[in-house]
Amino acid sequence: MDFIYEYTEDNLRLPATYFESREKDICVVFIHGMYTNILENYFAVEWGKLLAQNNIGFLYGHTRGYSSTNDIITKSENSVTLGTTFEIFENCLKDIKMWIKKAYELGYKRIVLAGHSFGSNKVLYYYYKNHPDIIGIIFASPPDMQGLTRMYEPNYDSLLKETEKNIREGQPRKLTSKLVENYLPFSSATFQNFYKPGSNVDNFPITRNPEHFKQLETVEVPILAFSGANEEEPFLQLDLLKQKAKKCSDFTYKIISNTNHIYWKKEKETGMLILNWLKNLKYNLK
């Protein structure tokens, strides 16, 4: 396992953790979820080790939204305070683009994009905007971001009004007056960016279930999706996602029994699910 640092096109230095494969054929470029990083994603470490042992590269690429807050160095040797608290969703395009480019520079010929939780939203949005030259997508616990927060945050609508007012008054970085869902800190700009109706983040709209999942129905490459059986109900409706992925002819999904959002005690089982799917994908692409 190696640490890699790269600069985005807007000059932010981001870290990645790289599990090298002897063969340089397929690399999984993995994007983490909200408020997290490689130190907190034990399951991803297990996946990386397992895949590398089986000749598949694994690049855990941090986005500018890693951890709650972080001070990211720039090429000018200044720093910018970001992290999920201050993140703007659309900027993930720059981060994912950089890590795909890095995987190719490391010598890999084919790329699979993978995201866990909020990382799934980012991976889907990247595909929708760029239609990258990739051979498959992995959605690990893809969330209905707005639906889940509406379920658990009773002040959702008042927070939308509050954060809109803060931005109007020139305070986009002002934090919400309360923690969202009693544990999530958000700046006003970030709350608006994530949760305002029509947001690009709302790309797995499972609870409101419109006729079209606009971003998902553009995916034409094979998809693997899975969630833990102990997660909230919206995470378990993977059959609905399969129905809405109208251009995807190869959509595999599974609910992993007796585990949660971080696949506690099922790290190796989920790793094997990914490995076997990748082997089958590789075979079918020959």
Side-chain angles (χ1 to χ4, degrees):
M1 182 177 74
D2 296 316
F3 287 97
I4 294 173
Y5 295 89
E6 290 290 324
Y7 285 96
T8 63
E9 62 187 43
D10 55 345
N11 298 325
L12 299 180
R13 189 181 71 174
L14 295 176
T17 308
Y18 172 46
F19 299 80
E20 184 175 10
S21 164
R22 290 190 303 275
E23 294 181 8
K24 294 298 184 291
D25 182 14
I26 294 175
C27 183
V28 174
V29 175
F30 175 90
I31 304 300
H32 57 83
M34 293 170 64
Y35 296 100
T36 192
N37 56 64
I38 188 63
L39 298 177
E40 297 163 355
N41 280 170
Y42 174 70
F43 63 87
V45 175
E46 291 299 310
W47 295 355
K49 290 191 294 187
L50 177 64
L51 295 180
Q53 290 165 3
N54 286 273
N55 296 316
I56 296 169
F58 187 80
L59 184 65
Y60 184 113
H62 291 81
T63 70
R64 64 195 67 201
Y66 77 86
S67 300
S68 176
T69 59
N70 58 64
D71 291 325
I72 298 179
I73 300 296
T74 68
K75 278 189 176 180
S76 62
E77 298 183 4
N78 295 316
S79 65
V80 180
T81 301
L82 290 168
T84 301
T85 300
F86 298 103
E87 184 175 17
I88 297 301
F89 178 71
E90 289 76 10
N91 285 331
C92 73
L93 299 177
K94 300 170 187 175
D95 306 336
I96 298 173
K97 176 183 177 181
M98 175 184 66
W99 293 127
I100 290 176
K101 180 173 180 280
K102 185 61 181 180
Y104 281 126
E105 289 175 355
L106 290 167
Y108 293 94
K109 301 179 181 67
R110 299 187 285 187
I111 307 298
V112 169
L113 274 179
H116 172 247
S117 193
F118 189 41
S120 296
N121 302 88
K122 291 180 176 180
V123 164
L124 176 57
Y125 182 62
Y126 186 87
Y127 182 94
Y128 169 70
K129 294 294 288 186
N130 293 288
H131 288 283
D133 182 20
I134 61 172
I135 61 171
I137 294 177
I138 299 170
F139 295 135
S141 298
D144 178 354
M145 288 287 292
Q146 291 196 7
L148 284 163
T149 302
R150 282 190 177 276
M151 285 171 59
Y152 292 110
E153 177 48 66
N155 299 305
Y156 189 102
D157 292 329
S158 64
L159 284 170
L160 278 175
K161 292 177 182 177
E162 172 192 317
T163 53
E164 183 179 25
K165 178 175 181 289
N166 290 341
I167 293 169
R168 191 168 59 247
E169 294 176 351
Q171 301 183 80
R173 292 177 69 86
K174 183 176 180 179
L175 299 184
T176 54
S177 58
K178 65 178 293 294
L179 295 176
V180 178
E181 299 178 47
N182 291 319
Y183 74 103
L184 299 170
F186 282 111
S187 69
S188 295
T190 300
F191 190 89
Q192 281 284 312
N193 179 251
F194 286 9
Y195 298 117
K196 186 176 180 178
S199 164
N200 288 317
V201 171
D202 189 25
N203 51 10
F204 294 112
I206 292 166
T207 54
R208 63 182 179 87
N209 191 15
E211 181 181 355
H212 296 284
F213 283 33
K214 182 176 71 172
Q215 294 183 33
L216 183 60
E217 66 184 20
T218 66
V219 178
E220 299 180 272
V221 297
I223 293 172
L224 169 65
F226 58 89
S227 297
N230 297 342
E231 300 190 63
E232 293 91 338
E233 180 61 29
F235 287 104
L236 307 182
Q237 296 187 38
L238 301 180
D239 55 338
L240 177 61
L241 296 187
K242 182 175 181 177
Q243 295 171 31
K244 299 296 185 177
K246 296 181 179 181
K247 292 184 179 179
C248 176
S249 60
D250 184 358
F251 191 117
T252 302
Y253 68 90
K254 185 174 182 179
I255 303 298
I256 311 299
S257 63
N258 300 315
T259 195
N260 59 11
H261 193 59
I262 57 171
Y263 319 120
W264 181 247
K265 296 185 178 180
K266 295 295 182 80
E267 297 89 355
K268 288 184 172 58
E269 180 179 327
T270 48
M272 286 301 302
L273 175 65
I274 293 169
L275 175 61
N276 290 332
W277 181 79
L278 288 168
K279 285 180 176 179
N280 186 60
L281 180 65
K282 184 176 182 179
Y283 176 81
N284 289 336
L285 291 172
K286 284 183 178 179

